[in-house]
Amino acid sequence: MDNNIPEVGYHDVDLRLILEDMARAIVESPESVEVIEEVKDDGAVVLTLKVAEDDMGMIIGKHGKIARALRTVTKAAAKIADKKVTVEIR
């Protein structure tokens, strides 16, 4: 067995990239998707998702189902990485 393979830990998860990739797959203008990451004093991460105004309905979805799903998947990834995350959509 080759021991030269670097081990990737769960703490290396890029939550910003996960949210950005999911959002780009949903919207009509993927080039307008931007995720701003802010780390709070207590170590919690706030991810602010910005999309084109025309794509806002697609990101939110009927009754907020898509937005809720994006938050759920991001929080699940954060839990695996032992982080706390909040997702805001603007």
Side-chain angles (χ1 to χ4, degrees), residues 1-62:
M1 192 178 265
D2 188 8
N3 290 333
N4 294 330
I5 299 172
E7 200 170 308
V8 177
Y10 289 120
H11 296 284
D12 298 334
V13 173
D14 188 350
L15 299 173
R16 185 191 60 76
L17 186 60
I18 290 171
L19 180 59
E20 197 172 85
D21 285 347
M22 288 189 297
R24 284 196 172 135
I26 296 169
V27 299
E28 300 248 346
S29 304
E31 67 279 350
S32 69
V33 172
E34 182 182 3
V35 177
I36 299 169
E37 182 176 354
E38 178 185 349
V39 179
K40 297 289 185 179
D41 291 337
D42 60 353
V45 177
V46 177
L47 298 177
T48 303
L49 174 63
K50 294 185 177 185
V51 297
E53 195 172 319
D54 294 342
D55 290 331
M56 205 51 136
M58 296 178 88
I59 283 293
I60 294 173
K62 284 188 180 182

Side-chain angles (χ1 to χ4, degrees), residues 19 64 66-76 85 87-89:
L19 180 59
I66 301 296
R68 193 173 14 247
L70 289 170
R71 287 183 176 110
T72 300
V73 171
T74 305
K75 285 185 180 193
V85 69
V87 176
E88 297 178 357
I89 300 172

